[in-house]
Amino acid sequence: MTTQPIRAALYVRVSTTRQAEADLSIPDQVKQLTAYCERKGWQVAETYIEPGASALDDDRPVFQDMIAAATSVAHPYDHVVVHSLSRFSRDVLDSALYGRKLEKAGVSLVSITQEVGDDANGKLIRTILNAFDEHSSRENAKHTHRAMMENARQGFWNGSRPPFGYALAVKERRGTKDKKVLVINEDEAQTVRLIFDLYLGRHGKPLGLKAICTHLNWRGITRRGHAWGIGSLQDLMTSSTYCGRHLFNRTESRTGRQRPDAECVEMAVPAIISEEVYLQVRAALHDRSPRKTPPRVVNGPTMLASVARCAHCGAAMILNTGKGHRYYACSSHAKKGKTVCKGQRIRMDRLDDMVMEYLGSKVFDPDRLEQALKSYMDAHETGTAIRREQLRQMRARRGDVDAARARLFGMVETGAVEAHDPMLKERLDQMKLQAADLDSQIAALQDDLLSGVPTITPEKIRLLAAQMRERLRTGPPELRQAYMRLLLNSVVVGAEEICLSGSNAVLERLAAQGVSASASEVITFARKWRPGRDSNP
């Protein structure tokens, strides 16, 4: 009768990829484990090698494969052999759990440098050794993390791959170590600037995240060899690194959890974009979020989506179909019945044409538009007194913003607000953007006072009237729809009349800045079908 040899599986692990790349520890472990099995007369059935994996958790693919094979019905191994118990696991709970799984499957865990028995005393010693391994590993991690935090405070990079748009350069040498810092990779930085410009509409109409991905991928502009995706693009656009403020220790490496700002170290790095551009994009991302403004509102087939209202109950008018036509219909009537609202219903093309015709012939009639903006022009003609008062008010509002920021910082100092409260950071970002906007308005008023030239002139008003009538008459549907949302606060549809309301402030801004400058405030989402004309010609 032939006796089946005792079979063993070898498990070899190192903690970091740097150790694995050095190719020293792994061959030495394999050599020692193989020699041990030969001395015991055991047959090595399989060797499992896990490079660059921490033993503080069980998220190790090779380790899981070994456990699955060892505990299978086939029972391919009698022993799992490791160099030391710390190679198997440095977590007491995981070590006990997986050790119990092996034991139930009839497989013993053997350490060639820490041989303990399988009796009660041996199990106790093994538990104590595991506890020491876990404590030692966590202490080492704590000291390493503290050193990395100090390295970041001094402005040096900690060894991970630099963000897209940057490269590493050696700044100085300390002992045997090169201390590196981030420098701008100009080739990648051009792509970063292009992304922010496309989102803000500096090369035409603003593009959304998906449209920017399509734009980049179609032109072969990759992210270090990889195609752009919405997730990677949003991570880039929300990273403060690109405006010169890199946050080290932002996420927990094992869990991916976002740490509060109080636990981060802010490093000064070369800026690829200005902080003003970064804040503008952050604000636009917030405003364009589907949670705040669903894409169907802007991108759907209804020209007056979110603008048209029922005169009877005030509910929104939604798309309704019937008899081969599209209609605007009262949403309350459609969803709750005629007991709530008797309902208003009007053909979509008819209402759209009436609104467009009214805007073109009435609102943007040059004489009527000049009359609507007469108060602004009269204010300029009365002299500099009013503009100086406006400037004083703007400066007062700017001072109020600074005072509000000071109060927030005071609340942090007294402990009324936590420094790492996410609402605090969001509020401070809003204040920065508000301050930048006020500074821009103050600068415009100062230039106006110095030059004596009015911001709005009759020539600008007539140019605006001509441009807007042309856009409303022949512009693409998404642009016309966007201008509807910008110009109109509401279109109230009644049985006998339709009431349009809007703000003169929008007209003033368009007249002062020009139509093209307002495009970024108009377009939010842009539908792109067949952007490369690669199918269905």
Side-chain angles (χ1 to χ4, degrees):
M1 183 175 179
T2 303
T3 304
Q4 187 176 4
I6 298 176
R7 296 155 300 172
L10 311 184
Y11 180 69
V12 178
R13 181 190 64 80
V14 290
S15 299
T16 66
T17 53
R18 186 175 298 178
Q19 288 176 309
E21 290 167 358
D23 201 28
L24 297 176
S25 179
I26 288 178
D28 182 62
Q29 288 185 56
V30 172
K31 181 180 179 181
Q32 292 190 44
L33 296 181
T34 303
Y36 180 88
C37 290
E38 289 176 353
R39 290 197 301 271
K40 291 284 189 178
W42 298 347
Q43 176 185 337
V44 176
E46 189 68 58
T47 300
Y48 294 91
I49 298 177
E50 188 112 53
S54 171
L56 282 174
D57 58 47
D58 60 351
D59 187 16
R60 292 174 273 158
V62 177
F63 177 80
Q64 293 295 342
D65 290 344
M66 179 196 69
I67 295 295
T71 57
S72 66
V73 178
H75 191 69
Y77 322 125
D78 301 295
H79 304 288
V80 170
V81 185
V82 295
H83 184 268
S84 63
L85 293 176
S86 65
R87 299 299 91 193
F88 185 76
S89 177
R90 286 181 179 271
D91 184 274
V92 175
L93 182 60
D94 284 346
S95 182
L97 175 64
Y98 289 105
R100 180 64 61 87
K101 282 188 175 183
L102 293 177
E103 184 180 350
K104 286 186 176 180
V107 179
S108 61
L109 175 63
V110 177
S111 167
I112 67 172
T113 58
Q114 297 167 316
E115 297 191 47
V116 294
D118 292 328
D119 57 3
N121 289 333
K123 291 180 180 179
L124 175 62
I125 293 173
R126 181 172 294 181
T127 301
I128 293 172
L129 291 173
N130 286 331
F132 273 110
D133 286 338
E134 179 178 350
H135 175 73
S136 174
S137 183
R138 296 193 185 281
E139 282 296 301
N140 288 338
K142 183 174 68 175
H143 295 314
T144 300
H145 185 258
R146 186 177 66 240
M148 293 174 71
M149 294 282 281
E150 179 57 31
N151 194 55
R153 289 189 189 96
Q154 296 180 19
F156 298 114
W157 193 250
N158 270 308
S160 60
R161 193 176 189 186
F164 183 82
Y166 291 92
L168 295 177
V170 177
K171 184 177 182 181
E172 60 182 77
R173 188 173 181 84
R174 294 183 183 177
T176 59
K177 292 186 177 181
D178 291 330
K179 309 296 282 185
K180 298 180 180 180
V181 294
L182 286 184
V183 294
I184 294 177
N185 179 332
E186 194 54 44
D187 290 338
E188 293 181 352
Q190 289 179 5
T191 302
V192 173
R193 297 186 189 103
L194 175 62
I195 289 170
F196 282 86
D197 288 348
L198 289 173
Y199 194 77
L200 292 175
R202 294 181 172 177
H203 298 291
K205 66 182 180 183
L207 300 182
L209 297 181
K210 187 174 181 180
I212 293 176
C213 290
T214 302
H215 178 93
L216 297 175
N217 293 334
W218 178 252
R219 287 159 180 77
I221 303 174
T222 64
R223 181 175 52 89
R224 293 175 177 168
H226 299 281
W228 288 95
I230 291 177
S232 57
L233 191 65
Q234 187 162 26
D235 289 343
L236 183 150
M237 295 169 67
T238 55
S239 173
S240 61
T241 302
Y242 297 101
C243 68
R245 295 183 290 109
H246 178 77
L247 295 179
F248 174 72
N249 198 42
R250 193 75 183 93
T251 59
E252 195 169 324
S253 59
R254 290 193 176 90
T255 64
R257 179 183 66 87
Q258 291 282 323
R259 289 191 173 99
D261 290 346
E263 297 181 19
C264 302
V265 173
E266 185 175 299
M267 297 170 53
V269 299
I272 295 177
I273 60 169
S274 67
E275 185 173 14
E276 181 181 358
V277 169
Y278 170 73
L279 291 174
Q280 287 177 354
V281 168
R282 287 298 299 265
L285 283 168
H286 179 266
D287 291 340
R288 300 182 192 182
S289 170
R291 295 180 181 178
K292 183 174 181 180
T293 307
R296 66 177 182 274
V297 171
V298 180
N299 229 10
T302 50
M303 181 74 71
L304 301 175
S306 78
V307 176
R309 295 277 167 181
C310 172
H312 186 265
C313 67
M317 304 283 282
I318 60 175
L319 172 64
N320 186 263
T321 58
K323 297 181 181 181
H325 296 288
R326 294 173 180 267
Y327 294 87
Y328 288 106
C330 173
S331 57
S332 288
H333 177 80
K335 296 177 181 178
K336 302 176 183 178
K338 59 179 65 178
T339 56
V340 176
C341 179
K342 63 182 181 181
Q344 297 290 345
R345 192 167 183 257
I346 184 172
R347 273 180 52 171
M348 181 182 293
D349 56 351
R350 184 183 173 198
L351 181 59
D352 290 346
D353 289 344
M354 284 193 294
V355 172
M356 300 279 280
E357 174 63 25
Y358 183 85
L359 289 175
S361 62
K362 302 295 184 182
V363 175
F364 290 106
D365 174 75
D367 295 332
R368 188 183 181 110
L369 186 59
E370 188 170 343
Q371 184 65 28
L373 299 178
K374 187 175 184 301
S375 61
Y376 182 93
M377 300 181 68
D378 288 345
H380 186 275
E381 292 173 0
T382 56
T384 60
I386 293 179
R387 294 196 297 281
R388 284 176 177 167
E389 175 61 20
Q390 291 174 339
L391 183 59
R392 186 195 66 77
Q393 292 176 1
M394 288 290 181
R395 285 171 173 166
R397 289 171 58 190
R398 182 66 173 85
D400 290 342
V401 173
D402 289 337
R405 291 177 65 182
R407 286 195 296 271
L408 278 178
F409 289 129
M411 293 172 69
V412 172
E413 291 176 354
T414 59
V417 176
E418 294 291 335
H420 54 77
D421 189 334
M423 293 296 293
L424 175 65
K425 185 177 186 303
E426 182 178 349
R427 181 66 180 135
L428 286 173
D429 285 345
Q430 291 174 352
M431 287 181 174
K432 284 184 181 179
L433 196 60
Q434 187 178 1
D437 184 52
L438 287 170
D439 288 340
S440 176
Q441 295 183 52
I442 289 171
L445 279 170
Q446 288 174 333
D447 291 342
D448 190 22
L449 284 169
L450 290 173
S451 65
V453 178
T455 305
I456 298 178
T457 63
E459 291 76 16
K460 286 186 176 182
I461 291 176
R462 295 189 179 278
L463 177 62
L464 170 64
Q467 289 179 332
M468 285 304 302
R469 280 184 294 176
E470 179 68 19
R471 277 162 171 72
L472 293 175
R473 185 172 62 253
T474 63
E478 68 272 12
L479 184 63
R480 296 160 71 194
Q481 180 186 14
Y483 274 117
M484 294 298 100
R485 289 171 48 79
L486 177 67
L487 296 167
L488 299 172
N489 293 333
S490 66
V491 176
V492 180
V493 181
E496 302 295 334
E497 65 178 8
I498 299 171
C499 180
L500 279 63
S501 66
S503 171
N504 274 4
V506 174
L507 298 176
E508 290 176 6
R509 188 162 71 250
L510 289 175
Q513 299 177 356
V515 174
S516 58
S518 67
S520 61
E521 300 177 40
V522 177
I523 303 298
T524 303
F525 294 92
R527 187 187 296 273
K528 285 285 187 182
W529 180 73
R530 204 161 55 89
R533 301 187 178 275
D534 54 339
S535 64
N536 299 329

